[in-house]
Structures are given as structure tokens and as C-alpha cells.
Amino acid sequence: MRFLNPASKILIVLTVIFSSIGCKKSQTQISEMTADSAVIKIGEVGSMTGPQATFGTSTNQGIKLAVQEINAAGGVKGKKIELISLDDQSKPEEAATAVTKLITQDKVIAILGEVASSVSLAMAPIAQSNKTPMISPSSTNPKVTEQGDYIFRTCFIDPFQGTVMARFAVDTLKAKKVAILRDIKSDYSVGLANFFAETFKKSGGEIVMDQSYSQGDIDFKAQLTSIRSKNPDAIFVPGYYNEVGLIARQAKEFGIKAPLLGGDGWDSPKLLEIGGNAFEGSYFSNHYSSEDQSSVVQNFIAKFKQAYGSIPDGLSAAGYDAAKILADAMNRAPSLEKAAIRDAIAATKDYNAVTGKISIDSNRNAVKSAVVLKITGGTFKYQTTINP
Ligand code: PHE
């Protein structure tokens, strides 16, 4: 192009760009027309990057494994599932944009996601107003499914999870004085802290200190100084792995010996990478334990290992279950209309999932058990299962 004047060069470039856009557009239009009848489009919104990246990537691995299995077995009503997964960068605003795109442009008939309750809360009103079924595999804050009758979850809720850890603190650890350190930027953390405190106090315990931080903080020394002055038997830290990892390290540097207690937000391979042996002797509640010897759990682990070469965390298990339950509901539904799928999800009963037997209640939440894991020797060791 050296012999052309600059204006002609620009013209050539623009022509190439426009003709390729035109081409792309007609291609997608054709594929949409044919695809609509041949495949079932399902959307997924997850934190594949950003501060909660392990939540999104683990969930995505579980969902993809489930979809592969469903398709290999012939799909749903004779159609293959096409999964469209979008990254929200761990941001509620991005998740809202993603869910809008999935519904209006991609024309998905159901949505899986999100993990973090604050992010699911940004998605749910959009799914609801478009009458598109949404299933969160792992958002535990009660408000998520309160957004409307198209919003479901296949995990337990935090009033239960908070009770699990409060009872464990009282009954097993014999704790009488507990301090709380909560993330005030997270609906999940604030809710779980409140539900824990409620049950712990009802059981005769005392909350001797209630401190807070904001997601993204890296220095917790001021809060830990106040907590240390009260000499609690345990510290409840219902946050996500990044901050909790740093809190554990700084607590240890401060000479705090009390065990830390947490919830499912601790479940990440990064937790121990960040916190190291500062977590020794701490406990958290979760959705599943890889030590569970039941065949449904061990089959899942074997298939997951074969696909990805690692042991699945609770998020992968929860993602897998949510996708399987959606497919089960679509199979049972009289048609693939979104309203029919919604009704079929609502009717889910005693589904034998990896994370436990799942029945959807009248509030569109799953009623199921939780496990308590102990961190010891750099692993998450199964302690007990607590039924609702
Ligand atoms: N329950 C958390 C929330 O609602 C999300 C989460 C689930 C994180 C499971 C880790 C593991 O925000």
C-alpha cells in the first residue's frame, strides 16, 4: 500500500473492516435462526477474573462438566445444550450487563449464576423482569431468591449456615465469648454475621466484639487489636478468601491463638496460599466434602479429576449440581417455554446431587445439609454434617 495516498489507505482499511463486520453479522443471524430450533441455549454469569476469580472458574468447570455429560447422553428433549458463559470480573454492574445481553441478544432460556450474593442480587431483578429462570448454585443470602418467582438457588441459605457454625461453636468448641469480623461491602458477610450472632446469643454465648472491614482492604491490625483486647474463644470471619487469608496471617502475627470460624466463602485453593499455616485449627461450614464416600460424590470427583486433573472444590460441585438440576427440570417440563421450566425447577424434589439431596421449597431455596470442615495440615478435613 506504499504507493497509495493516506486517504486511499484509510478507505481500503475501512472497506475491509465494514465488509468483515457485514459478513460476521449475516453469519450470526443464520446460526441463530438454525440454532434456535436445534440447541437449547443456557447462560452462565461468573467471576472468572477479579478478586473472586476462583469462585467463577471453579463453578464454570463444574457447569461445563455437567453440560458435557448431559449432551453426551443425548441432551435435553433430544436437543444439545449450548452454554454461553460470560465473565463479570467479580463486579455486580458487569453481571447486570452480562445477564441483559444473555437474555436479549443470545436469547438464552435460563441462567446459571452467580456465586457472590451481592452479584446475584444485581442479576436477579433483570432475570425476573424478563421472566427468565435463574438458578444460583451457591449464593446463600436470603434476599437473592426474594427477588421474584423466577429466581432459585440449589444451595442452603445463611440463616441455616449461621446456625450451623453457632451451634458448632457452642456444642463442639464450648465457646462462650466470640468476636465477629465482617465485610460490610458484602450482603453475604453482613447477613451471615447477623444470623450467627442471633443463634450464638440464643444459645447462651456472648458476642464480645463486632468489627468490620471493606472488600479490598489489606490491613486489619486496628480491628484485630480491639478483638485481641477481649480475648475471645473464637473469631467468626464470614468473608471471602482474599481478605480472610490476610486476616488469618495478621491475627497470627498479633499472637491471637483463638481459632477462626467461617462460612462457605472460605472455600478456595487461594485461602491457604494466602493464609498459610495461620489457619491451622480453624473451621468453616461448606456445601460438600471431597471425603464424602457416597457414590454420587466419588463418581463426580473421578470424572472431574479426569477432565481437569484436580480435586473439585465446593463451588465446582455446586455448579455441577445446578446445571444438572436445570437439565432435570427441562426434561420434566412439558415444553421448553421459560414459564414451564420455571414450574419444573420449583417442583424439584429429592434430587440426589453431589452437594446433598436437593428439594426446592416454596421460597425457591434448597433444603439440604451443610458440612463443617477443619483446616489441619494444609487440608480441609471433614468434621461433621449438619441437617436442616
Ligand atoms: N455463599 C457465598 C455468597 O452467597 C458464595 C460462596 C459460596 C462462596 C460457596 C464460596 C463458596 O456470597
Side-chain angles (χ1 to χ4, degrees):
M1 292 207 293
R2 222 178 332 135
F3 51 87
L4 296 175
N5 65 37
S8 321
K9 280 186 196 171
I10 290 170
L11 194 65
I12 289 172
V13 172
L14 288 182
T15 313
V16 171
I17 291 173
F18 278 120
S19 51
S20 69
I21 288 174
C23 207
K24 252 207 192 124
K25 193 152 184 228
S26 55
Q27 269 169 7
T28 41
Q29 274 166 0
I30 291 165
S31 77
E32 256 174 35
M33 272 163 52
T34 49
D36 270 352
S37 52
V39 301
I40 299 172
K41 287 195 193 176
I42 302 296
E44 176 199 0
V45 180
S47 50
M48 319 293 176
T49 59
Q52 280 104 52
T54 75
F55 292 168
T57 48
S58 288
T59 305
N60 178 251
Q61 287 182 324
I63 292 176
K64 276 199 309 218
L65 184 63
V67 169
Q68 275 160 19
E69 272 173 31
I70 294 158
N71 285 343
V76 168
K77 297 196 194 304
K79 295 180 183 193
K80 295 276 155 74
I81 292 178
E82 181 188 329
L83 177 70
I84 305 173
S85 306
L86 298 182
D87 175 20
D88 59 36
Q89 303 161 38
S90 308
K91 294 179 190 154
E93 327 79 77
E94 290 293 329
T97 308
V99 84
T100 304
K101 176 186 177 288
L102 287 169
I103 296 171
T104 59
Q105 277 172 255
D106 299 316
K107 309 258 188 282
V108 300
I109 58 170
I111 290 177
L112 298 171
E114 229 260 10
V115 172
S117 290
S118 298
V119 182
S120 286
L121 279 166
M123 294 165 54
I126 301 168
Q128 178 63 32
S129 63
N130 286 282
K131 292 198 181 329
T132 304
M134 164 176 151
I135 304 179
S136 167
S138 43
S139 284
T140 47
N141 186 276
K143 286 183 287 183
V144 172
T145 45
E146 287 165 13
Q147 302 307 308
D149 62 348
Y150 275 76
I151 315 300
F152 296 86
R153 81 181 96 218
T154 44
C155 56
F156 50 68
I157 54 173
D158 287 333
F160 172 63
Q161 183 169 207
T163 302
V164 165
M165 271 332 264
R167 299 292 328 170
F168 185 80
V170 173
D171 297 341
T172 308
L173 303 179
K174 311 286 178 216
K176 301 214 159 40
K177 296 185 295 172
V178 168
I180 292 177
L181 183 48
R182 64 174 88 198
D183 173 0
I184 44 163
K185 287 280 160 64
S186 151
D187 291 285
Y188 157 74
S189 188
V190 169
L192 189 50
N194 290 341
F195 299 123
F196 173 92
E198 213 176 283
T199 309
F200 189 68
K201 286 189 279 193
K202 260 193 219 144
S203 315
E206 191 192 344
I207 303 298
V208 290
M209 180 60 68
D210 199 333
Q211 290 280 329
S212 60
Y213 63 89
S214 297
Q215 229 161 86
D217 284 357
I218 49 170
D219 185 342
F220 305 91
K221 298 200 183 73
Q223 295 94 320
L224 290 170
T225 305
S226 326
I227 288 174
R228 188 177 55 184
S229 72
K230 296 288 182 185
N231 197 25
D233 301 320
I235 308 171
F236 188 55
V237 196
Y240 295 146
Y241 59 91
N242 278 316
E243 291 85 7
V244 176
L246 294 173
I247 288 168
R249 267 175 46 186
Q250 292 172 22
K252 189 167 187 208
E253 281 160 22
F254 262 49
I256 293 176
K257 297 258 165 19
L260 303 185
L261 308 179
D264 53 354
W266 285 24
D267 188 11
S268 168
K270 291 261 182 232
L271 184 83
L272 298 181
E273 266 175 46
I274 301 169
N277 65 2
F279 278 109
E280 196 62 24
S282 290
Y283 299 87
F284 68 104
S285 49
N286 205 3
H287 302 272
Y288 118 118
S289 162
S290 57
E291 289 175 74
D292 184 333
Q293 291 308 313
S294 67
S295 61
V296 48
V297 172
Q298 291 305 318
N299 283 341
F300 165 68
I301 293 176
K303 285 181 286 196
F304 191 94
K305 266 193 187 157
Q306 202 179 12
Y308 305 108
S310 60
I311 304 225
D313 62 15
L315 275 319
S316 292
Y320 178 87
D321 284 349
K324 282 290 183 98
I325 282 177
L326 175 58
D328 174 70
M330 291 192 299
N331 265 321
R332 281 187 285 106
S335 79
L336 288 172
E337 295 296 317
K338 293 196 265 187
I341 298 171
R342 191 224 80 90
D343 291 347
I345 300 169
T348 300
K349 202 165 182 338
D350 293 334
Y351 185 95
N352 199 14
V354 176
T355 57
K357 218 176 222 149
I358 297 178
S359 295
I360 299 294
D361 70 10
S362 58
N363 297 316
R364 297 169 302 283
N365 302 319
V367 186
K368 62 203 281 214
S369 54
V371 296
V372 177
L373 305 175
K374 179 178 188 176
I375 303 180
T376 166
T379 59
F380 298 160
K381 204 96 198 94
Y382 173 79
Q383 294 297 292
T384 180
T385 299
I386 305 208
N387 294 313

